[in-house]
Amino acid sequence: MTAHALPQVALESTVISHGLPYPHNLALARDMEAVVRSHGAQPRTVGIIAGELIAGLDDSQIAHLATAQNVRKVSRRDLPIVVAQKLDGATTVATTMWIAHQAGIEVFATGGIGGVHRGHGGAAGNDISADLEELAQTPVIVVCAGAKAILDLPATLEYLETRGVTVAGYATDEFPAFYSRSSGLPVDVRCDSPAEVAAIWRAKQTLGLPGGLLVTVPIAPQDEIPAQEIEPAIAQAVAEAEQRGLRSAEVTPFLLARIAELTGDRSLRANIALLKNNARVAAEIATALANG
Ligand code: PSU
Ligand code: MN
């Protein structure tokens, strides 16, 4: 019997500390773990406590990240700082991938990946999420609902192509736009089952290609917010972030919170629904890999 008797699924913690408000964040973190377990896999929520990188936070550690005020959002560049200074930290997609890989975990469920921000190269500066570079170099399957329409989705897909990241659509031909099922942008391949995802992953390993695989799952029809309904809130939030001169790591949390306010929490409900859905799909993919 190995240490990993069950298929393993990593979960991130920035969505807990910075992505959702309390108490929804704590409930969601526990619910995602429960969904993974109920689909026969072992959840491993990733985070940093007093400078220690942990792949498998316990419930009190998760509660701490959900409630403490001084938790740092940790991207790759921040890892040496939080370790040296023994700080608490929440991991983004980039750092969750890296820590999951060190721990031997191949599958990771999140909500949306970071990407190329709107206005890139213009007034908003050069904001490209470290998540994209991590996907290019760290071998983990990232299950998400696409990227939020707060981002420049065509530019995000172009960047992934440049860096050699395969983008699969899970039962869809289109790249999902987080709150909305469709973006009008094509994925590289459609997969209709966990086994199809597993086959692509194995082919990538056999070829010796570095980096991850992005599996994009559309939000369920009953949970989605149509693009034309969410777009005014996104446009307003993006404009306010620019007016405030927000930069770097503070941009994404501000946009998420502002859109939730502007939509009267409809975006919050959609976000929670898609996160749980992604946890289910990730558990099924991890199971297919373990059975292969
Ligand atoms: N997208 C969401 N919710 C989130 C995030 C992204 O819908 O909570 C978080 C993830 O942890 C992601 C990070 O890795 O934001 C990206 O931040 P940045 O754009 O600063 O790289
Ligand atoms: Mn950024």
Side-chain angles (χ1 to χ4, degrees):
M1 189 71 91
T2 66
H4 293 180
L6 290 175
Q8 307 283 302
V9 173
L11 303 168
E12 64 150 305
S13 47
T14 291
V15 69
I16 302 171
S17 64
H18 292 73
L20 298 170
Y22 182 84
H24 303 280
N25 58 349
L26 181 55
L28 178 276
R30 289 173 171 158
D31 286 351
M32 282 185 86
E33 290 208 336
V35 168
V36 170
R37 279 194 195 94
S38 72
H39 288 84
Q42 170 79 39
R44 305 273 299 271
T45 301
V46 173
I48 302 166
I49 303 289
E52 190 191 346
L53 313 185
I54 301 174
L57 295 167
D58 66 27
D59 193 67
S60 71
Q61 291 169 327
I62 290 172
H64 174 64
L65 294 184
T67 53
Q69 297 303 309
N70 58 345
V71 175
R72 183 171 178 144
K73 173 181 166 185
V74 178
S75 192
R76 181 181 259 258
R77 62 163 184 203
D78 305 300
L79 277 174
I81 303 170
V82 293
V83 169
Q85 300 186 352
K86 300 188 171 22
L87 303 175
D88 294 338
T91 51
T92 62
V93 168
T95 44
T96 303
M97 286 179 75
W98 192 78
I99 295 169
H101 176 55
Q102 307 295 315
I105 305 167
E106 280 187 302
V107 185
F108 161 31
T110 184
I113 58 162
V116 181
H117 279 263
R118 294 187 188 186
H120 170 76
N126 294 300
D127 192 343
I128 300 177
S129 177
D131 295 352
L132 302 184
E133 280 300 316
E134 203 67 41
L135 280 160
Q137 59 185 316
T138 300
V140 171
I141 300 175
V142 178
V143 180
C144 69
K148 206 160 274 172
I150 59 176
L151 300 168
D152 183 333
L153 298 185
T156 298
L157 284 172
E158 290 293 348
Y159 195 97
L160 289 167
E161 185 210 335
T162 300
R163 302 296 282 115
V165 179
T166 303
V167 179
Y170 198 77
T172 183
D173 299 303
E174 267 185 64
F175 188 67
F178 201 81
Y179 301 119
S180 317
R181 288 174 60 79
S182 72
S183 65
L185 302 164
V187 289
D188 305 320
V189 61
R190 175 185 177 123
C191 293
D192 284 298
S193 68
E196 287 178 43
V197 175
I200 288 173
W201 185 243
R202 287 198 200 96
K204 182 180 166 82
Q205 310 289 78
T206 303
L207 290 166
L209 289 166
L213 170 65
L214 193 62
V215 176
T216 63
V217 186
I219 186 171
Q222 68 271 21
D223 298 317
E224 88 160 327
I225 309 177
Q228 64 275 20
E229 284 175 47
I230 192 80
E231 182 56 36
I234 293 171
Q236 184 178 335
V238 169
E240 289 179 13
E242 271 173 40
Q243 281 157 18
R244 289 172 186 232
L246 298 185
R247 287 286 178 271
S248 188
E250 53 191 14
V251 174
T252 297
F254 171 83
L255 293 175
L256 302 184
R258 194 70 185 108
I259 291 166
E261 279 173 12
L262 292 169
T263 62
D265 283 350
R266 195 166 165 207
S267 68
L268 179 63
R269 289 198 301 277
N271 202 341
I272 289 168
L274 68 84
L275 280 158
K276 291 190 222 172
N277 192 42
N278 295 344
R280 173 186 59 84
V281 173
E284 291 170 352
I285 292 169
T287 302
L289 279 174
N291 294 340

